[in-house]
Amino acid sequence: MGLTGCGQQKFDIPSLLVRELQMDNHTCSVRVDETYPLSVSFSPAGSSSVVTWTSLDESIATISVVGTVTGVSEGEVRVTATSVVNPFATDTCVVTVLPRRVYMSSISITLGGAYELEKGKTLELAPFTTTAPANVTDPGITWSSSDNSVAVVTGSGVVRAMSSGTAIITATAADGGGAAASITIVVPGSTTPDTPDDPDDPGEDPPADPDLLMFHNCDNLTYFTHTQGASVETQGRMEGSGYIERTTNSDNQIFIISRVGNSMDTKITDYSKGYLVFWFYINDAASLSRNTVATGRIELSQSGGPGQQCLYWSSKTCLADVVSDGWNYIQLRFSDAKEMTPDKPFNPKGANYFRIYFDGPAGSYEYTYGIDAIGFKQTN
Ligand SMILES: [Ca+2]
């Protein structure tokens, strides 16, 4: 490339010489027969060079001309990248080659081909779901419903019957190997199909779980405080005519329902079988773990506030660590809760305060969360 300077002299501007080359990762792992792309950066900024890639032991891993590592056999090997214009600009990545991936070969749901589920009821499929082989590399399963207006399924495999009809719930291996299994959910009831002409009409109200003692149906903001711009939404609700939803980029999230002067008996008589239950929506579950949620809690008290006579659960272990994108069915066992003031314990006959708070991702990252059908349930 030539330029004419301020005089008549014509000269060439040499391209910036690479002084240093740095691997973007100094360690990585790859499975046998799988690949991992390595990359490098150059300094000074703006400089670049063709790179020669070398594996120091090609019986463990090979490296392509563009820096793609392929695992060959288990072990550890150094891979180097060197600038062709400056052989002193070189760097190394230590590659660990892990055993070949064991794909999920089969999934089975041991509930038979069809299962009848009453409107509003939930069914946990995980206890009836088995996978093989036992040494599968990724045990993850993704769940889907063929008709969300009839039955929805959470990321952890909890089915909820929404309206009469038939839906096929499918479990698919998350490793992409193709293993899958299905179960047909039949929701009995009126055979009149609910087909709203108006796209804004959310259709039939999903009924409450008949086994749930409702503390707040989240159909309105009555009793809610500190909801910071939350609103009642109808589309996608899990129960009744609506749920409470909020879109925010704030890093401190609080929902409070205070029922001071209007206490209710939870009817929980056995803490080992009693649950605080609610639906929790999050559009991006990873957003909850982008920041600490170690201080967040879910609280239930009879004192009108969080200070005393209060059971609490950790938002980290009960929300951030377990939720998937979409609706999640949260069941918090009373016997897993801690007492805020052990000398003044919570009395299950007089619940009047619920609070859920957690630290969301700091900064401008926007996300949406929601809650529906908060109540109590005691199993047999
Ligand atoms: Ca509701």
Side-chain angles (χ1 to χ4, degrees), residues 122-147:
T122 54
L123 169 67
E124 287 186 72
L125 288 177
F128 305 102
T129 305
T130 56
T131 64
N135 64 337
V136 64
T137 301
D138 176 1
I141 290 175
T142 59
W143 295 92
S144 61
S145 169
S146 65
D147 189 342

Side-chain angles (χ1 to χ4, degrees), residues 206 214 216-220 237-244 371-373:
M214 194 72 78
H216 199 297
N217 60 18
C218 302
D219 290 356
N220 52 61
R237 69 212 185 283
M238 299 304 284
E239 179 278 337
S241 61
Y243 70 101
I244 308 299
I371 193 166
D372 202 358

Side-chain angles (χ1 to χ4, degrees), residues 215 223 257-263 301-305 351-354:
F215 186 65
Y223 298 126
I257 301 169
S258 181
R259 294 176 60 121
V260 178
N262 191 6
S263 300
S301 92
Q302 64 164 123
S303 62
N352 63 10
Y353 181 92
F354 169 93

Side-chain angles (χ1 to χ4, degrees), residues 13-51:
I13 297 177
S15 57
L16 275 171
L17 182 67
V18 169
R19 272 205 307 271
E20 286 179 16
L21 172 158
Q22 192 162 52
M23 288 276 194
D24 293 333
N25 292 299
H26 287 105
T27 60
C28 74
S29 61
V30 63
R31 293 192 173 275
V32 170
D33 289 344
E34 294 187 8
T35 61
Y36 186 91
L38 291 178
S39 56
V40 293
S41 302
F42 303 98
S43 62
S47 66
S48 69
S49 160
V50 174
V51 168

